[in-house]
Structures are given as C-alpha cells and as structure tokens.
Amino acid sequence: MKKLHVVAAIIKKDDKILATQRGYGEFKGLWEFPGGKIENGESKKEALIREIKEELNADIKIDKFALDLEWQYPDFYLYMSCYECSLESDLKLLEHMDGKWLSKDELDSVQWIEADIKVVNYLKENL
C-alpha cells in the first residue's frame, strides 16, 4: 500500500477559512485545504510554503500547528499535517477550479475530500 505524507494550510482571513476545489485527478470537483506532498529533504513547513506558492501563487505565514491526521483510501494511506496560516500576499488559483472563503457556519456548505472532513471537525471545535 502506497503511503503519502502531505501538508495542508488552513488559511485564515478575518473570521473565514479558505476552501479550494480540486481541478484535477481522482478527487476533481471536491473541496480541500490547499497543500501537497512533502519532497525528500524538505521539512513540513518548507513543503507547505512551497506548495502554497505553486498552487495559489501566494506567500503565507505559518502561525501554528493545528493537527495531524491519518486516512485510509482504497489505493493509498494518507498522513497529513495541517497548519493554521495567514496570507502575506494576494492569491491566485493556479491548480484549483474554485476557491471560497467560508465562515465556521459555512464549512458544511461544500463537499470535502474525505480526509479533510477531519480538519473541518477540528475547526468547528477550535475556531
């Protein structure tokens, strides 16, 4: 079974959180917290800063660690580390179909990728 180690950004602006809609692959059309794979030799934070630059053409400040989660998909096992972040520049969707700023009460208004639902539940309890 393939194991993926990824990082995700919980990007906050005012009282809202950024949700992005996948534009490709197996989960196309579903919503997620942006991020991606950790490359060899990268720290989690380095990977997150790089991934957000690649996906959103944005600079972020990592404010604090939020949570680690694990999720079993049919074809792979996911390890994901999530960090609360703030924007230090404007963003532009480069790989996603759409993006929305959601309040805590709006988090259930989109269809999340399965593993990201754990992050949504964390945010409902911790925002």
Side-chain angles (χ1 to χ4, degrees), residues 46-111:
E46 288 168 339
L48 189 56
I49 289 167
R50 176 188 51 77
E51 283 286 345
I52 297 306
K53 191 67 171 175
E54 290 174 4
E55 292 184 7
L56 302 175
N57 195 32
D59 297 314
I60 56 168
K61 176 179 163 236
I62 298 174
D63 298 316
K64 70 176 187 174
F65 170 78
L67 73 154
D68 282 328
L69 66 90
E70 298 179 23
W71 191 264
Q72 177 67 61
Y73 284 101
D75 299 331
F76 64 95
Y77 195 82
L78 180 75
Y79 297 91
M80 185 161 73
S81 295
C82 305
Y83 294 85
E84 292 183 25
C85 304
S86 48
L87 282 174
E88 295 201 314
S89 69
D90 291 333
L91 65 84
K92 180 180 179 184
L93 299 177
L94 300 176
E95 297 184 9
H96 295 91
M97 295 168 46
D98 199 2
K100 291 183 182 183
W101 291 100
L102 302 173
S103 68
K104 180 178 177 178
D105 295 336
E106 296 170 321
L107 288 171
D108 291 328
S109 68
V110 298
Q111 187 177 358

Side-chain angles (χ1 to χ4, degrees), residues 114-126:
E114 287 178 88
D116 290 58
I117 293 169
K118 285 190 170 190
V119 184
V120 170
N121 291 335
Y122 165 86
L123 290 170
K124 287 178 185 177
E125 294 174 10
N126 293 284

